[in-house]
mmCIF file of all heavy atoms in Angstrom:
data_model
loop_
_atom_site.group_PDB
_atom_site.id
_atom_site.type_symbol
_atom_site.label_atom_id
_atom_site.label_comp_id
_atom_site.label_asym_id
_atom_site.label_seq_id
_atom_site.Cartn_x
_atom_site.Cartn_y
_atom_site.Cartn_z
ATOM 1 N N PHE B 644 27.857 40.610 -29.137
ATOM 2 C CA PHE B 644 27.797 39.590 -30.187
ATOM 3 C C PHE B 644 26.595 39.817 -31.091
ATOM 4 O O PHE B 644 26.669 39.610 -32.300
ATOM 5 C CB PHE B 644 27.771 38.190 -29.571
ATOM 6 C CG PHE B 644 29.113 37.731 -29.087
ATOM 7 C CD1 PHE B 644 29.272 37.235 -27.794
ATOM 8 C CD2 PHE B 644 30.219 37.800 -29.910
ATOM 9 C CE1 PHE B 644 30.523 36.813 -27.346
ATOM 10 C CE2 PHE B 644 31.478 37.387 -29.467
ATOM 11 C CZ PHE B 644 31.623 36.900 -28.180
ATOM 12 N N GLU B 645 25.497 40.238 -30.496
ATOM 13 C CA GLU B 645 24.310 40.498 -31.299
ATOM 14 C C GLU B 645 24.601 41.578 -32.329
ATOM 15 O O GLU B 645 24.201 41.484 -33.488
ATOM 16 C CB GLU B 645 23.190 40.955 -30.369
ATOM 17 C CG GLU B 645 21.804 40.600 -30.852
ATOM 18 C CD GLU B 645 20.756 41.118 -29.873
ATOM 19 O OE1 GLU B 645 20.661 40.543 -28.772
ATOM 20 O OE2 GLU B 645 20.074 42.099 -30.231
ATOM 21 N N LEU B 646 25.308 42.600 -31.886
ATOM 22 C CA LEU B 646 25.656 43.694 -32.791
ATOM 23 C C LEU B 646 26.587 43.205 -33.900
ATOM 24 O O LEU B 646 26.440 43.566 -35.064
ATOM 25 C CB LEU B 646 26.320 44.812 -31.985
ATOM 26 C CG LEU B 646 26.533 46.156 -32.679
ATOM 27 C CD1 LEU B 646 25.205 46.720 -33.141
ATOM 28 C CD2 LEU B 646 27.201 47.136 -31.706
ATOM 29 N N LEU B 647 27.529 42.350 -33.507
ATOM 30 C CA LEU B 647 28.467 41.812 -34.495
ATOM 31 C C LEU B 647 27.754 40.902 -35.491
ATOM 32 O O LEU B 647 28.097 40.857 -36.662
ATOM 33 C CB LEU B 647 29.575 41.022 -33.787
ATOM 34 C CG LEU B 647 30.598 41.853 -33.023
ATOM 35 C CD1 LEU B 647 31.321 40.992 -31.997
ATOM 36 C CD2 LEU B 647 31.586 42.486 -33.991
ATOM 37 N N ASP B 648 26.759 40.150 -34.977
ATOM 38 C CA ASP B 648 26.063 39.195 -35.829
ATOM 39 C C ASP B 648 25.002 39.857 -36.689
ATOM 40 O O ASP B 648 24.525 39.261 -37.656
ATOM 41 C CB ASP B 648 25.380 38.118 -34.964
ATOM 42 C CG ASP B 648 26.398 37.246 -34.230
ATOM 43 O OD1 ASP B 648 27.567 37.238 -34.648
ATOM 44 O OD2 ASP B 648 25.997 36.593 -33.242
ATOM 45 N N ALA B 649 24.601 41.071 -36.337
ATOM 46 C CA ALA B 649 23.497 41.708 -37.064
ATOM 47 C C ALA B 649 23.905 41.957 -38.495
ATOM 48 O O ALA B 649 25.047 42.291 -38.783
ATOM 49 C CB ALA B 649 23.125 43.016 -36.379
ATOM 50 N N PRO B 650 22.931 41.808 -39.427
ATOM 51 C CA PRO B 650 23.250 42.105 -40.830
ATOM 52 C C PRO B 650 23.578 43.586 -40.953
ATOM 53 O O PRO B 650 23.027 44.392 -40.218
ATOM 54 C CB PRO B 650 21.972 41.744 -41.587
ATOM 55 C CG PRO B 650 20.905 41.735 -40.567
ATOM 56 C CD PRO B 650 21.524 41.390 -39.271
ATOM 57 N N PRO B 651 24.441 43.927 -41.912
ATOM 58 C CA PRO B 651 24.786 45.344 -42.052
ATOM 59 C C PRO B 651 23.554 46.161 -42.399
ATOM 60 O O PRO B 651 22.687 45.690 -43.134
ATOM 61 C CB PRO B 651 25.788 45.374 -43.205
ATOM 62 C CG PRO B 651 26.188 43.954 -43.436
ATOM 63 C CD PRO B 651 25.112 43.097 -42.909
ATOM 64 N N GLU B 652 23.493 47.389 -41.889
ATOM 65 C CA GLU B 652 22.350 48.254 -42.213
ATOM 66 C C GLU B 652 22.551 48.873 -43.587
ATOM 67 O O GLU B 652 23.658 49.156 -43.992
ATOM 68 C CB GLU B 652 22.248 49.371 -41.183
ATOM 69 C CG GLU B 652 21.842 48.874 -39.820
ATOM 70 C CD GLU B 652 21.909 49.994 -38.786
ATOM 71 O OE1 GLU B 652 22.054 51.159 -39.196
ATOM 72 O OE2 GLU B 652 21.811 49.687 -37.601
ATOM 73 N N THR B 653 21.443 49.103 -44.261
ATOM 74 C CA THR B 653 21.563 49.806 -45.549
ATOM 75 C C THR B 653 21.249 51.269 -45.346
ATOM 76 O O THR B 653 20.268 51.622 -44.702
ATOM 77 C CB THR B 653 20.550 49.256 -46.577
ATOM 78 O OG1 THR B 653 19.893 48.146 -46.003
ATOM 79 C CG2 THR B 653 21.218 48.877 -47.865
ATOM 80 N N HIS B 654 22.099 52.127 -45.923
ATOM 81 C CA HIS B 654 21.843 53.561 -45.883
ATOM 82 C C HIS B 654 20.797 53.919 -46.917
ATOM 83 O O HIS B 654 20.577 53.186 -47.872
ATOM 84 C CB HIS B 654 23.135 54.324 -46.172
ATOM 85 C CG HIS B 654 23.902 54.613 -44.927
ATOM 86 N ND1 HIS B 654 25.162 55.154 -44.959
ATOM 87 C CD2 HIS B 654 23.599 54.444 -43.623
ATOM 88 C CE1 HIS B 654 25.594 55.312 -43.703
ATOM 89 N NE2 HIS B 654 24.662 54.883 -42.892
ATOM 90 N N GLU B 658 24.353 52.658 -49.656
ATOM 91 C CA GLU B 658 25.647 52.177 -49.167
ATOM 92 C C GLU B 658 25.469 51.320 -47.934
ATOM 93 O O GLU B 658 24.616 51.582 -47.095
ATOM 94 C CB GLU B 658 26.540 53.355 -48.802
ATOM 95 C CG GLU B 658 27.200 53.999 -50.019
ATOM 96 C CD GLU B 658 28.458 54.751 -49.565
ATOM 97 O OE1 GLU B 658 29.268 54.135 -48.851
ATOM 98 O OE2 GLU B 658 28.591 55.928 -49.945
ATOM 99 N N VAL B 659 26.304 50.358 -47.824
ATOM 100 C CA VAL B 659 26.239 49.465 -46.657
ATOM 101 C C VAL B 659 27.119 50.021 -45.548
ATOM 102 O O VAL B 659 28.248 50.441 -45.803
ATOM 103 C CB VAL B 659 26.733 48.050 -47.051
ATOM 104 C CG1 VAL B 659 27.049 47.231 -45.810
ATOM 105 C CG2 VAL B 659 25.683 47.374 -47.911
ATOM 106 N N SER B 660 26.589 50.046 -44.365
ATOM 107 C CA SER B 660 27.446 50.462 -43.241
ATOM 108 C C SER B 660 27.214 49.518 -42.071
ATOM 109 O O SER B 660 26.174 48.861 -41.987
ATOM 110 C CB SER B 660 27.105 51.891 -42.810
ATOM 111 O OG SER B 660 25.863 51.899 -42.141
ATOM 112 N N GLU B 661 28.153 49.481 -41.220
ATOM 113 C CA GLU B 661 28.002 48.584 -40.050
ATOM 114 C C GLU B 661 27.530 49.360 -38.842
ATOM 115 O O GLU B 661 28.030 50.425 -38.561
ATOM 116 C CB GLU B 661 29.347 47.929 -39.711
ATOM 117 C CG GLU B 661 29.620 46.784 -40.642
ATOM 118 C CD GLU B 661 31.006 46.192 -40.438
ATOM 119 O OE1 GLU B 661 31.664 46.508 -39.436
ATOM 120 O OE2 GLU B 661 31.425 45.432 -41.307
#
Side-chain angles (χ1 to χ4, degrees):
Chain B
F644 283 129
E645 210 181 289
L646 191 59
L647 288 160
D648 294 342
E652 291 173 12
T653 354
H654 270 173
E658 280 203 50
V659 164
S660 73
E661 281 174 12

